[in-house]
Amino acid sequence: TTEIYTLSLHDALPICSGLLFTSCVSKKKYAELQDKQEKTQDLLNTATVKLNDCLSEKSGLEAQNSSLKSQVASLNATNGDLIRQIGDFTDLTKKGAENLEKSLESLKEKDLTIRKLQDAVTRRDSVNLALVQSLKGAIGNLDDEDIEISVEKGVVYVNISDKLLFRSGSYQITSKAREVLGKVATVVKNKPDFEFLVEGHTDTDPISTGCIKDNWDLSVLRATAVVRTLQDDFGVAPARMTAGGRSEYIPIAGNDTSAGKAKNRRTRIVVLPKIDQFYNMIEEGLKDPKIN
């Protein structure tokens, strides 16, 4: 079988050119060109590798840059939060300082008030002490167990046994009692800033006469007898006095013995500073430079 191959002009030209080129270029020159081509190819390969490395590095740097941008954004957000927190903390600190200042001012006011009250109490106690000394000096014989002068809770008490003031079952003042009441009147008249209460006390022994119904009556009548004597005989202002009967219900000893009953039968004079006078002491304390 005979095969017929037909070459087109387009296909035949490279073959003819190669043959022509081969025939026109020497083998040495061809080798040089081939070597140069290989070097060029090596350079191209190297450049391609470096280009790929650069592209890879670029991709890594871009990723790193994106990560850094995210970190910067996060740090900015954190910084903003910290600034706000510092602002809040500053506000709280200011409020805390203001509250602390208010607390200190309140403590100063309370301390000042306490000092004023202490000063007033001290002055009251001093006045009471002076009153007690005056009473003791005026009455004289304090060894007499029938008269007792004391200070309890800022109040001056003068206890006078009923056997010194009255006869048994009576509310008539004895002559000896007038002498004692006169001395008491002298002291209290010199202390116009004081008021006092005259209390009648009895024992538990019952009493019932034409003029006295019971111990309530007896204690009241004895108290009013003392008040009248101080007013009528010694000129003590009646507005400064109060008379009261306590009957048998405030004993200072047991009523099961004669000695105990004798102690319970008594008249007690309770000397009190006027309330407004006590407040005046506090107000005067306000003017004290040591306090102000």
Side-chain angles (χ1 to χ4, degrees):
T1 303
T2 303
E3 296 181 359
I4 299 174
Y5 296 94
T6 302
L7 296 175
S8 66
L9 180 58
H10 181 271
D11 294 332
L13 282 176
I15 297 173
C16 292
S17 298
L19 292 173
L20 181 60
F21 179 78
T22 303
S23 62
C24 292
V25 179
S26 65
K27 291 182 178 180
K28 181 178 179 181
K29 188 67 174 179
Y30 176 78
E32 290 176 357
L33 291 172
Q34 189 173 19
D35 182 61
K36 189 174 182 179
Q37 181 187 6
E38 290 176 355
K39 290 181 179 179
T40 301
Q41 186 65 43
D42 290 339
L43 290 173
L44 177 59
N45 292 338
T46 301
T48 301
V49 171
K50 288 183 177 180
L51 177 60
N52 291 333
D53 291 341
C54 288
L55 291 173
S56 177
E57 185 177 357
K58 177 187 176 185
S59 177
L61 289 174
E62 288 177 346
Q64 186 176 1
N65 182 50
S66 177
S67 176
L68 289 174
K69 286 182 178 179
S70 297
Q71 292 180 20
V72 168
S74 177
L75 289 173
N76 285 334
T78 301
N79 186 51
D81 291 339
L82 289 174
I83 291 174
R84 284 191 294 273
Q85 290 177 11
I86 290 173
D88 294 340
F89 180 74
T90 301
D91 291 339
L92 289 174
T93 302
K94 289 181 180 178
K95 291 180 181 178
E98 292 174 357
N99 291 335
L100 179 60
E101 186 175 356
K102 290 179 181 178
S103 297
L104 290 175
E105 288 298 326
S106 177
L107 288 175
K108 288 180 181 178
E109 291 177 1
K110 290 179 181 178
D111 181 63
L112 180 60
T113 302
I114 291 171
R115 289 171 61 191
K116 293 173 188 173
L117 292 173
Q118 288 176 337
D119 181 68
V121 170
T122 299
R123 295 181 64 191
R124 181 203 64 190
D125 290 344
S126 298
V127 172
N128 284 342
L129 180 60
L131 176 61
V132 169
Q133 294 302 322
S134 298
L135 287 168
K136 289 181 178 180
I139 293 174
N141 185 15
L142 293 178
D143 292 333
D144 190 339
E145 62 180 9
D146 294 329
I147 301 175
E148 180 184 357
I149 301 172
S150 62
V151 179
E152 298 177 19
K153 297 180 180 180
V155 179
V156 178
Y157 295 95
V158 181
N159 280 295
I160 306 175
S161 172
D162 272 11
K163 74 176 183 178
L164 185 64
L165 293 175
F166 307 103
R167 290 184 294 273
S168 178
S170 171
Y171 53 89
Q172 299 297 320
I173 299 292
T174 65
S175 57
K176 187 176 181 180
R178 290 181 185 278
E179 180 184 350
V180 173
L181 292 178
K183 293 178 179 179
V184 172
T186 300
V187 174
V188 297
K189 284 172 67 176
N190 291 330
K191 304 290 183 180
D193 295 330
F194 287 85
E195 295 178 345
F196 51 97
L197 166 66
V198 178
E199 295 180 344
H201 296 262
T202 69
D203 57 24
T204 55
D205 289 347
I207 184 172
S208 180
T209 67
C211 299
I212 303 172
K213 182 177 181 180
D214 54 21
N215 281 327
W216 277 114
D217 275 354
L218 180 60
S219 63
V220 172
L221 289 170
R222 285 181 170 178
T224 54
V226 171
V227 168
R228 286 196 187 93
T229 300
L230 291 173
Q231 175 184 349
D232 297 339
D233 296 351
F234 302 108
V236 178
R240 297 177 56 197
M241 297 184 289
T242 301
R246 306 303 297 269
S247 188
E248 62 197 60
Y249 300 106
I250 312 293
I252 57 175
N255 282 295
D256 51 349
T257 65
S258 297
K261 290 179 180 181
K263 288 183 178 181
N264 291 332
R265 294 191 301 271
R266 68 200 187 279
T267 296
R268 184 169 74 166
I269 300 175
V270 183
V271 185
L272 297 166
K274 293 180 180 179
I275 297 299
D276 56 348
Q277 181 67 20
F278 184 68
Y279 287 138
N280 287 338
M281 290 181 183
I282 297 177
E283 291 176 359
E284 288 176 9
L286 291 173
K287 303 174 184 177
D288 188 343
K290 294 179 181 179
I291 292 180
N292 291 328

